[in-house]
Amino acid sequence: MMATSRGTARFLWAAVSVVFVETIITGLALAPAVLFIHWQSTWPLSTWIRLTLASLAFAPVYLVCAISLMAYSALATRALGWRTPADVALPLRDFSWPVLDWGRYLMTIHVVRVFAGPAFRSTTIWNWYMRLNGARVGRDVWVNSLSLMDHNLLEFADGVVIGSDAHVSGHVVEHGILKTAPVRLGRNTLIGIGSVIGIGVESGDGVQVGALSVVPKFATLDAGGVYVGVPVVRLH
């Protein structure tokens, strides 16, 4: 009973803390928009002109706020130590601190990908955010998917391409157990549209994974291979 009470207390603290941190982060990210609205309201212009200028400013102000959100979120998780623990198997019901840190880390990633991801995915700015948030991302990497989680467990070498809606993460939950392992993709690896990459997967250089394929957890893909299917098999 005592262990259950402690677990519940830890969960409540984690929930309150992540809401508090996200409130601060989003407030700071929205500050440029709030300041701009206040500033333009003081212009000695007619209401219609001010509204027109405010409408035209929406896109650049949104981009500034989105970049701010990415930066503040990544810096906050780094400072607070919210990360996905590597190579663990932990029961969710215990609400241990590593599990709660993982949950809070994923929550911050989710907020960023909802509000900033659509504008910046498949750009160098998105790569910058992932690096700042713990991922190891090489040069000329293109991530055209928002379904990447556990950034600190992702390692992409130079030239990796992640297709639209591909799912890559360092965790899986099986029978109430959180299991984690890093995902390492070699140079010039191509992950096709809508594919799923399991935890602990490692690929050699030049690997191609076809669209809508599933790479099982802890699989090793040989360099230069072409893999397709559910689960994947090597074509050549």
Side-chain angles (χ1 to χ4, degrees), residues 30-41:
L30 289 173
V34 174
L35 291 173
F36 175 79
I37 292 172
H38 174 72
W39 177 52
Q40 68 89 27
S41 68

Side-chain angles (χ1 to χ4, degrees), residues 73-74 77-78 83 105 109 129-135 151-152:
S73 179
T77 59
R78 176 174 296 194
R83 289 290 187 264
Y105 186 44
I109 293 174
Y129 160 66
M130 290 186 60
R131 289 190 190 100
L132 192 61
N133 206 38
H151 293 165
N152 67 300

Side-chain angles (χ1 to χ4, degrees), residues 10-27 69 73 76-77 80 82-83 97 99-112:
R10 287 195 296 265
F11 173 80
L12 292 175
W13 166 250
V16 170
S17 65
V18 75
V19 170
F20 175 78
V21 169
E22 285 300 325
T23 299
I24 299 299
I25 290 172
T26 54
L69 178 66
S73 179
T77 59
L80 295 168
W82 294 352
R83 289 290 187 264
W97 284 119
V99 168
L100 295 174
D101 286 344
W102 161 74
R104 290 183 288 188
Y105 186 44
L106 263 58
M107 178 63 72
T108 62
I109 293 174
H110 179 68
V111 171
V112 170

Side-chain angles (χ1 to χ4, degrees), residues 7 12 19 27 32 50 61 70 73 83 88 104 111-112 120 129 140 142 146 149 153 173 180 203 212-213 216 220:
L12 292 175
V19 170
R50 289 204 306 269
V61 169
M70 288 189 284
S73 179
R83 289 290 187 264
V88 300
R104 290 183 288 188
V111 171
V112 170
F120 291 108
Y129 160 66
D140 301 320
W142 299 99
L146 300 180
M149 305 300 285
L153 297 184
V173 176
T180 69
S203 76
L212 303 176
S213 298
T220 299

Side-chain angles (χ1 to χ4, degrees), residues 143-168:
V143 179
N144 191 30
S145 173
L146 300 180
S147 297
L148 277 71
M149 305 300 285
D150 312 293
H151 293 165
N152 67 300
L153 297 184
L154 304 182
E155 184 175 337
F156 302 157
D158 297 346
V160 167
V161 175
I162 308 295
S164 177
D165 299 319
H167 181 86
V168 186

